Amino acid sequence: GLESVGLRYFNVLGARQDPNGTYAAVIPRWFFEFQRGVRPTIFGDGETTRDFCPVEDIVQANLLAATAPPEACGEVYNVALGRSTPLNQLYSMIRDLVAADGVDCAGWEPDFGPFRAGDVRHSRADIARAWTMLGFRPSEDITGALRRARPPVLG
């Protein structure tokens, strides 16, 4: 008899993520590597895509789910930007942000490693149901989310 709403988060990003954790996401790891003068590796050809979700949107989705109308209960909703970003594009965006902070990495091209077994080739969330049933609206695009997730450069 307990009303519930399921939320499926896609590739969460935000400030203060651990770049060295067991499940370290690509964004904090690449920021960390660029800032320390290490050229990040892209596994595969860089055309693999991911749909990201800023932590602020996770908060929004949780609040909406907690106050969802009865007709929205008992369902699962995707929470993400609803847009795919190729890893090559993500690499360039992070590199350019770090270079703008004064790190000498502007001309770096990625190192490519082999595709990793089990990696999903393309990821893009269909957020239409979360939009319609919960009123979920992504707060911004990947560029703004990366700017806010960017860690300070350590001097």
Side-chain angles (χ1 to χ4, degrees):
L2 178 65
E3 291 183 344
S4 61
V5 172
L7 299 175
R8 183 181 301 118
Y9 309 131
F10 281 64
N11 299 285
V12 178
L13 75 131
R16 296 184 297 280
Q17 285 181 292
D18 182 1
N20 297 310
T22 304
Y23 299 103
V26 67
I27 290 172
R29 189 171 53 245
W30 284 0
F31 270 120
F32 181 82
E33 290 173 350
F34 273 119
Q35 289 179 341
R36 281 151 186 80
V38 176
R39 186 185 319 246
T41 298
I42 295 177
F43 293 100
D45 61 5
E47 293 307 308
T48 297
T49 62
R50 293 292 177 261
D51 194 345
F52 294 96
C53 188
V55 69
E56 295 82 2
D57 289 350
I58 299 293
V59 172
Q60 175 198 171
N62 277 279
L63 292 172
L64 291 168
T67 58
E71 61 271 13
C73 294
E75 301 293 334
V76 177
Y77 301 92
N78 293 330
V79 180
L81 293 174
R83 292 179 290 280
S84 291
T85 302
L87 295 182
N88 284 325
Q89 180 184 354
L90 182 70
Y91 177 97
S92 295
M93 295 168 80
I94 293 173
R95 178 197 60 206
D96 294 349
L97 284 169
V98 174
D101 285 337
V103 176
D104 186 18
C105 62
W108 290 5
E109 294 300 322
D111 285 333
F112 291 96
F115 282 98
R116 294 188 300 184
D119 259 0
V120 173
R121 181 71 167 151
H122 298 290
S123 173
R124 180 178 176 268
D126 181 349
I127 61 171
R129 289 181 61 223
W131 185 285
T132 302
M133 299 299 293
L134 300 177
F136 172 73
R137 304 289 186 272
S139 59
E140 60 191 334
D141 62 13
I142 186 68
T143 304
L146 286 172
R147 282 190 186 109
R148 284 189 296 101
R150 177 177 66 209
V153 177
L154 302 175

